[in-house]
Amino acid sequence: MKNKLKILAICLITVVFASCRKDIPSDKLGFIGDWKCISCGIDEIKSLSIKSNGQGEYKSEEPGKTFNISGNVKFDGSNFRIGGAIIKKKFTTDKYPLKEIITLQPYKYKVTARFNGVDYEKIQ
C-alpha cells in the first residue's frame, strides 16, 4: 500500500511540474537560442540556453567552482529565471539581445546581450 501511495505522489508531482512549463512569450523571442560568454576570462566558461518550449539551461565553470541548472524559463518584465520553485538562477537583462551587422557583402551579423553584467553572444 505504501508503494502505491509513493507512486501516486510521484505521478502527481510530475504532472504539477509539467503543467508549469510555458512557451516563451512572443515579445521575448530574441532571447531564444544558445549563448556563450564573450566577456569571461580565459579560465572561465559560462553558457546559457533558452528553448522556445520554455525550457532553459545555464552552466558556469570557474576554477574550483561549477554551477549547472536547468528547468523552466520564466520572464518577469525584461528579467528572467531558470529553474523551479525552490532552486533557480535569476538573470537581470542589462542589455537586450541586439543584432549587430558585421559586414553587408557577404551579409554577416552577430547577436549580443548582457545578463547579470556578463556579455553573451548567440551561437549561430
Side-chain angles (χ1 to χ4, degrees):
M1 188 64 161
K2 286 183 181 180
N3 285 338
K4 288 183 182 180
L5 287 175
K6 286 181 184 178
I7 292 171
L8 179 62
I10 290 171
C11 290
L12 288 173
I13 290 171
T14 302
V15 167
V16 167
F17 281 117
S19 67
C20 293
R21 190 183 85 195
K22 295 182 181 177
D23 290 346
I24 300 298
S26 61
D27 64 331
K28 304 292 188 256
L29 296 179
F31 288 78
I32 295 173
D34 296 320
W35 299 85
K36 67 177 181 177
C37 176
I38 55 173
S39 63
C40 292
I42 194 160
D43 56 351
E44 191 178 14
I45 299 170
K46 293 181 193 258
S47 64
L48 174 65
S49 179
I50 299 175
K51 306 291 183 204
S52 61
N53 67 359
Q55 293 294 297
E57 184 175 7
Y58 172 72
K59 295 180 182 181
S60 174
E61 296 179 23
E62 300 174 34
K65 190 165 95 173
T66 300
F67 179 77
N68 295 324
I69 190 163
S70 61
N72 297 323
V73 177
K74 182 173 181 184
F75 280 89
D76 179 17
S78 62
N79 303 322
F80 61 96
R81 73 167 198 241
I82 296 176
I86 299 172
I87 301 173
K88 59 191 163 220
K89 172 74 176 164
K90 295 180 182 180
F91 293 88
T92 300
T93 302
D94 305 311
K95 181 181 131 190
Y96 269 78
L98 176 67
K99 185 177 184 179
E100 301 174 31
I101 297 172
I102 300 170
T103 63
L104 291 174
Q105 291 293 329
Y107 184 72
K108 291 184 182 179
Y109 67 92
K110 64 181 179 178
V111 180
T112 59
R114 184 177 301 125
F115 309 116
N116 292 351
V118 177
D119 293 318
Y120 288 88
E121 183 175 335
K122 192 181 283 191
I123 301 168
Q124 310 260 341

